[in-house]
Amino acid sequence: MADQQVHEIMTAAPVAVGTLTAVPEAARRMRDDDIGAVLVTDDNELRGLVTDRDLVLRVLAAGRDPGSTTVADACSQQLVSVGPRERVDHAVELMRKHALRRLPVVDEGGGVPGVVSLGDVAVERDPASALSDISMAMPNN
């Protein structure tokens, strides 16, 4: 397990939206796809990652109008990513250092084949943990 690579545990085919996507559309995508984050891209180049928490804190709690706020305005300015062939331990270190719950996986060509989350790590490393159980649970919509 110590030499496991990120591509082995990541969630593949992440949802992406353009930088000019309005916040309500991003929120609908998260709801419809039962996910907590979407990638923010511009001409297929990764510009950021916006989470449900970002939408609450940077838009709603800040008193901004969701309808006129784009995901580019709501996403994190500092993007931290990991390569698919990097060790999972390195991804965990990055997540810990930057207090991240999700980390985009960026390949050498700039594509984003996946996202590695705390849940992905928990399911792989400690399948009996509460976080693993929650991560594997089916949603109660």
Side-chain angles (χ1 to χ4, degrees):
M1 239 194 274
D3 291 332
Q4 196 168 31
Q5 295 180 342
V6 168
H7 72 91
E8 297 176 75
I9 70 162
M10 71 183 188
T11 299
V15 174
V17 298
T19 55
L20 299 179
T21 302
V23 163
E25 176 59 24
R28 281 189 288 277
R29 292 292 307 269
M30 289 181 201
R31 178 200 62 203
D32 294 348
D33 292 331
D34 191 36
I35 54 176
V38 294
L39 300 175
V40 178
T41 60
D42 185 20
D43 286 331
N44 292 324
E45 185 174 329
L46 183 63
R47 296 291 184 199
L49 178 108
V50 67
T51 68
D52 46 7
R53 187 171 193 271
D54 291 332
L55 300 183
V56 170
L57 297 179
R58 295 188 177 139
V59 180
L60 298 176
R64 297 171 85 174
D65 174 20
S68 63
T69 304
T70 66
V71 291
D73 297 326
C75 70
S76 300
Q77 298 301 311
Q78 293 183 323
L79 185 62
V80 178
S81 63
V82 66
R85 300 261 178 228
E86 292 189 55
R87 290 180 31 244
V88 171
D89 288 344
H90 177 65
V92 171
E93 289 171 24
L94 288 173
M95 294 168 93
R96 181 178 288 129
K97 178 180 178 183
H98 298 280
L100 300 171
R101 292 174 177 88
R102 298 169 186 90
L103 200 57
V105 179
V106 180
D107 63 27
E108 292 176 11
V112 186
V115 173
V116 65
S117 70
L118 280 180
D120 295 329
V121 173
V123 167
E124 188 60 37
R125 297 270 171 106
D126 190 3
S129 72
L131 180 56
S132 178
D133 288 345
I134 292 166
S135 297
M136 291 188 306
M138 295 302 290
N140 296 326
N141 294 351

